[in-house]
Amino acid sequence: MGRQPCCDKIGLKRGPWTIEEDHKLMNFILNNGIQCWRLVPKLAGLMRCGKSCRLRWINYLRPDLKRGALTEAEEDMIIKLHSQLGNRWSKIAAHFPGRTDNEIKNHWNTKIKKKLKFLGLDPLTHKPIEQPDPKNDDIKQQLSSENEEINEKGKLPETLPTFDYPQEQQNIQNSTSSSSLNEMTESSEMGSSEIFQNLGTFSRDLYNPGVEDPFQNWIGSPIRWDLFDNLEDNFL
DNA sequence: AATAGGCACAACCGCCTCACA
DNA sequence: ATGTGAGGCGGTTGTGCCTAT
């Protein structure tokens, strides 16, 4: 009756994967393919649970993964898809061959979310955060102090806090009625992705000015990428 | 040079769905 | 029809790196 449990969690290793573990998992999958994740760690000689192996393969070892930072076009697409799909990261990731749901989720939580908030947009609804609502005072205050901080560092133009919204968005910003605000927002075709397109490169790297491409860090990682060179051939 | 704080991302946890016995 | 496990998914956390002080 039923099936055996995925793992008993006794004596299983946790935490970051070592290069040796990566090699074991990779070699096993290359030679045997993936039939049952539960059996993978046992057969590959790993003290990990099947779930952990699956995650490691999908998010890090898969040969078809696209390495490096997300491009501007990808970021815009993520915003657009998120406005349609919500937090369905796997669905969103399906539109980006070589990208993982985890990667996109992390990018959203660390970069895009902040940008939307900075623009006065709710990351959940992609609609403007209601201005007169006292509940948002702490958020506004936080955003305001962030703006001041950025300006103090001299990395942004003085006009930054008053973003030049398209006319429809300006009307929304100027409205003091929350109901009319909602009406206008709902009737507007303008979503956060469009706003970003109008933004051009202005907000790009707003929170990362001058930061070098994270891909550089990847290159410097201890993983021997040359081991991946023949992976595709092995799959054929 | 030391250290505190922030950030990015890998990995884990818990829940859900679906397939199987 | 029902119980159970595998796989998948999204939320959250832990940790290492970087930067500022």
Side-chain angles (χ1 to χ4, degrees):
Chain A
M1 182 90 159
R3 296 180 181 177
Q4 291 177 345
C6 162
C7 59
D8 54 16
K9 297 200 174 189
I10 295 172
L12 292 182
K13 191 170 180 289
R14 296 178 55 189
W17 281 64
T18 65
I19 296 174
E20 190 187 353
E21 286 177 312
D22 281 344
H23 286 175
K24 279 185 180 177
L25 179 59
M26 212 163 54
N27 287 334
F28 177 81
I29 292 177
L30 291 179
N31 291 325
N32 304 284
I34 305 161
Q35 277 91 38
C36 173
W37 281 112
R38 184 173 62 85
L39 296 175
V40 166
K42 195 177 287 181
L43 297 174
L46 291 161
M47 299 300 289
R48 297 271 184 177
C49 82
K51 261 188 171 184
S52 183
C53 293
R54 176 185 159 273
L55 214 61
R56 183 64 177 172
W57 174 258
I58 288 173
N59 289 334
Y60 199 79
L61 296 176
R62 244 171 53 198
D64 62 328
L65 282 181
K66 196 189 272 187
R67 307 280 174 185
L70 288 149
T71 65
E72 292 182 13
E74 284 175 318
E75 199 171 89
D76 290 339
M77 188 68 173
I78 289 169
I79 293 164
K80 198 170 216 167
L81 288 168
H82 186 273
S83 69
Q84 297 165 0
L85 300 169
N87 289 2
R88 296 192 183 96
W89 303 115
S90 61
K91 302 278 182 211
I92 294 172
H95 290 80
F96 301 90
R99 300 293 190 187
T100 69
D101 53 353
N102 207 34
E103 184 180 14
I104 290 172
K105 180 172 61 181
N106 282 333
H107 191 76
W108 176 269
N109 286 329
T110 57
K111 303 263 184 65
I112 300 175
K113 227 169 158 180
K114 287 179 186 174
K115 285 184 180 178
L116 290 177
K117 281 183 180 176
F118 179 79
L119 293 172
L121 295 170
D122 185 343
L124 286 174
T125 63
H126 293 249
K127 290 175 181 175
I129 296 167
E130 294 180 15
Q131 296 294 322
D133 190 348
K135 290 178 195 166
N136 292 331
D137 277 357
D138 54 338
I139 298 171
K140 284 190 286 183
Q141 198 167 353
Q142 188 189 342
L143 290 172
S144 171
S145 63
E146 282 176 7
N147 292 345
E148 285 171 16
E149 198 179 326
I150 292 168
N151 276 327
E152 279 173 16
K153 292 173 183 171
K155 288 173 179 170
L156 292 173
E158 288 180 359
T159 54
L160 250 188
T162 53
F163 168 63
D164 187 20
Y165 279 88
Q167 193 56 46
E168 280 176 292
Q169 294 293 322
Q170 283 190 17
N171 292 339
I172 292 168
Q173 295 289 313
N174 293 333
S175 169
T176 53
S177 158
S178 59
S179 60
S180 63
L181 181 140
N182 287 336
E183 284 165 18
M184 293 182 78
T185 309
E186 282 162 14
S187 65
S188 170
E189 293 296 316
M190 181 80 64
S192 54
S193 58
E194 283 78 8
I195 292 173
F196 261 83
Q197 283 164 11
N198 283 299
L199 259 177
T201 58
F202 157 69
S203 68
R204 200 71 58 192
D205 295 326
L206 191 57
Y207 289 83
N208 265 349
V211 169
E212 67 181 33
D213 189 338
F215 186 52
Q216 296 300 320
N217 297 331
W218 278 83
I219 294 170
S221 75
I223 301 293
R224 288 181 53 203
W225 297 108
D226 55 321
L227 291 170
F228 293 94
D229 286 347
N230 300 318
L231 285 183
E232 283 187 12
D233 293 338
N234 288 326
F235 272 110
L236 296 174

